[in-house]
Amino acid sequence: MGKSATTRARLQREALRLFADRGYDETTIADIAAAAGVTQMTFFRHFPAKELVVVDDPYDPAIAHAVAVQSADLPVVERVRRGLLAAWEQLEDADEAEFRLRLRIGAGHRGLRARMRENNVRTEAAIATALTERGVPAFEAVVAAAAVIGALTAALLEWANDPDAGPMGEAVTAALALLE
């Protein structure tokens, strides 16, 4: 991991720790930067806004591509389901404890919860676009994308709030299997 990635990871780790200890609204960017041993300017180089520490979601292009390459012979929901499974396998191994904390902090704060929903809407739109570009009618593409992302989101939130839940990947694959 390069210096930039290491700094970004340290900022995110310290921010999440402070959010969990003090609360999201009570934690300032100055607090986060100080805890990570960097300047506020460095924080903004990695996260243009405080909320992005929790809700950053860079995976839409990979998800859309994974959906787009699924066989056109499959039913549309199955194309989305298989695409998400394929994308999941390609993503880096996430730090599950950190991801769980991000989900819990995000779901527990009204503004962050709204931003998480906005991220889902963008992901759904990216999937729907990938499908419509391959001939799927817009209505079917939008409904299929929303259905699968809804199932995935519900599973991840349940997983995040269950301290006894197994690995995150099991929750993801179980949710997607229900749609089979």
Side-chain angles (χ1 to χ4, degrees), residues 4-143:
S4 179
T6 301
T7 300
R8 179 182 167 82
R10 186 171 65 248
L11 281 163
Q12 191 164 41
R13 185 177 53 252
E14 291 299 329
L16 293 173
R17 181 184 62 76
L18 290 169
F19 296 159
D21 290 349
R22 299 179 184 175
Y24 176 81
D25 291 325
E26 293 74 25
T27 302
T28 67
I29 290 168
D31 295 334
I32 298 165
V38 300
T39 67
Q40 289 183 58
M41 184 62 74
T42 298
F43 175 90
F44 284 115
R45 271 192 226 110
H46 293 279
F47 299 99
K50 181 171 95 169
E51 64 201 23
L52 294 177
V53 171
V54 178
V55 300
D56 185 33
D57 179 10
Y59 305 115
D60 289 351
I63 291 169
H65 175 73
V67 170
V69 300
Q70 298 304 307
S71 173
D73 295 337
L74 294 170
V76 68
V77 171
E78 184 62 8
R79 288 167 73 177
V80 177
R81 190 188 78 77
R82 287 186 185 191
L84 278 168
L85 282 170
W88 182 258
E89 291 173 4
Q90 299 302 314
L91 298 177
E92 291 181 19
D93 291 331
D95 177 338
E96 289 195 9
E98 184 175 290
F99 191 69
R100 183 185 304 256
L101 185 55
R102 282 177 60 197
L103 285 171
R104 291 175 71 185
I105 290 168
H109 184 276
R110 178 188 295 177
L112 294 174
R113 204 170 40 249
R115 280 300 304 267
M116 290 169 70
R117 179 63 189 132
E118 289 172 18
N119 282 351
N120 283 356
V121 168
R122 279 193 297 278
T123 303
E124 291 166 14
I127 291 168
T129 298
L131 291 168
T132 57
E133 288 175 352
R134 280 147 186 88
V136 175
F139 179 79
E140 290 180 36
V142 168
V143 171

